Amino acid sequence: MKLYRRYIFKSTINVGLGALFLTTLMLISVDLFANLDTYLSHELPLATIAYLTLLGAPQAVLFALGPSLLFSATFFLSQLHANNEYICLIGSGIRPLKIILPIIAVGFIASILQFAFAEYVKLPLSKERLVLEEELFGLRSTQDNRNITLHDPEGRYVLYARHYRAQDNLLREVLLLLFDEQGNLTHRLDAQQGRYDEDSGQWRFHGVQSQEVGEVVSTRTLEAYDNPRINLDPSYFRGAGGDIDQMDIQTALQYLHWMKRLDPNRHTPLAADFVKRILDALNPLVLIVIAATIRYSLKKNILLFAIITSLIVAVVYYVVQMVTMIAARQGVLSPVWAMVIPSVVVLLLAALQRTLSRQG
């Protein structure tokens, strides 16, 4: 590696690591103080509080990595122009693209590392934190669900439940419609509740009012009812709040495949969350490319300029992404486009800033 490339590469990484450390520390502090009242009210020992906070640290690192590298690239390029080092490099016959490429390489490497870190470090630790919080506080209400309708992929039954309680895998006020191979309705069952039996891997319903549909509709009352075909995993009944983020990629893909057939309405937001989870790894690369697009002309107040520019770019990028992801979860936008549009918007703004600064 040539000397100037090594200089650019090391300078970007060093500033980025410093910014990452400070930003991560700030986010960990925010998480700690946001939950401090809960910790103190449950009289948790200091070691448990520290352990819960550390389990949330990987998530903080992922939030901080993209903006930290954005600041690093902005600060380095501002300093390069302010100290006339950029002019010296151009005068030495080095093309502008070759100056930018080492910075983009940092973003590319960071994106790969972020994806691996998210899947192999953050994912297991966040699961462990959820389990520990459930044991300490009983906080898993986000997985409860209401008004769920699922149907068998083979078209043999449709199941509706008024309420699902995740704590004990309990369905309440269940309506079950059974069909024959020709798609004709054969039975309607109304159950007070249903519970998943982990040993048999199927649902068992209690307080059942059964109606057999034929030439004559016959009604009978059953204390309990089970059917080997009704063996949907409880995860399909849970609320969509964060479930897809707690699965490994292979399990998440299988879950999405089945959910598309079982409940298309829930598949749309889940698919959007999954695409965001995958493409979020590109945030460091995208933000560094945006930083490389901005025009730098200030000779003073470099640090202040880098901070303000990074904040503006990060806020616009993540706010637009939030809006497009809402549209994707509603089925208005494709999940991929929901992640691409924020990058395009900020790149256009950076190009506009570059054009206006030249004219000025």
Side-chain angles (χ1 to χ4, degrees), residues 123-306:
L123 184 61
L125 292 183
S126 63
K127 286 182 180 179
E128 186 175 347
R129 175 167 175 164
L130 283 173
V131 171
L132 185 56
E133 287 179 340
E134 181 182 7
E135 294 175 354
L136 295 171
F137 315 125
L139 298 177
R140 294 300 294 277
S141 60
T142 55
Q143 293 192 355
D144 291 352
N145 205 358
R146 293 180 180 275
N147 299 321
I148 317 115
T149 302
L150 300 178
H151 60 83
D152 177 24
E154 298 177 357
R156 303 295 295 276
Y157 65 83
V158 174
L159 190 153
Y160 167 82
R162 180 66 61 85
H163 181 260
Y164 168 74
R165 192 169 68 192
Q167 183 178 1
D168 47 7
N169 292 329
L170 181 69
L171 295 173
R172 291 178 177 171
E173 298 184 42
V174 181
L175 170 63
L176 183 62
L177 302 177
L178 302 181
F179 301 89
D180 61 18
E181 295 180 356
Q182 287 73 40
N184 300 314
L185 179 65
T186 60
H187 290 81
R188 168 179 172 151
L189 297 98
D190 295 270
Q192 295 178 0
Q193 64 179 33
R195 192 182 299 273
Y196 186 72
D197 186 351
E198 295 185 359
D199 294 332
S200 62
Q202 62 191 48
W203 290 88
R204 186 174 181 84
F205 302 95
H206 302 275
V208 179
Q209 189 78 15
S210 174
Q211 295 180 338
E212 184 175 354
V213 180
E215 294 181 0
V216 179
V217 177
S218 59
T219 304
R220 58 178 177 155
T221 302
L222 304 173
E223 291 185 6
Y225 174 83
D226 54 34
N227 188 323
R229 291 196 314 227
I230 307 173
N231 57 358
L232 294 172
D233 190 89
S235 61
Y236 294 114
F237 293 90
R238 292 173 184 163
D243 271 358
I244 203 76
D245 293 330
Q246 305 304 322
M247 302 176 186
D248 60 77
I249 290 180
Q250 186 175 359
T251 303
L253 286 172
Q254 185 178 10
Y255 181 81
L256 286 172
H257 171 73
W258 282 101
M259 191 54 68
K260 186 176 183 178
R261 303 170 67 182
L262 293 169
D263 191 352
N265 291 329
R266 287 182 61 198
H267 173 265
T268 300
L270 288 171
D273 289 339
F274 179 75
V275 171
K276 182 179 185 301
R277 168 183 164 179
I278 299 299
L279 296 185
D280 262 348
L282 294 176
N283 282 343
L285 177 59
V286 171
L287 290 173
I288 275 188
V289 171
I290 292 169
T293 309
I294 297 172
R295 181 177 174 83
Y296 302 92
S297 56
L298 293 180
K299 299 294 183 180
K300 298 180 180 180
N301 300 321
I302 300 304
L303 179 60
L304 182 61
F305 172 78

Side-chain angles (χ1 to χ4, degrees), residues 3-25:
L3 184 61
Y4 79 92
R5 290 178 182 170
R6 191 181 310 137
Y7 167 67
I8 296 172
F9 197 80
K10 289 180 64 177
S11 299
T12 306
I13 290 178
N14 289 339
V15 176
L17 288 176
L20 178 63
F21 174 76
L22 294 175
T23 310
T24 302
L25 193 62

Side-chain angles (χ1 to χ4, degrees), residues 44-58:
L44 297 184
L46 182 60
T48 304
I49 295 175
Y51 185 59
L52 280 169
T53 304
L54 287 175
L55 288 177

Side-chain angles (χ1 to χ4, degrees), residues 52-70:
L52 280 169
T53 304
L54 287 175
L55 288 177
Q59 183 67 66
V61 171
L62 293 177
F63 278 136
L65 182 58
S68 298
L69 289 177
L70 170 64

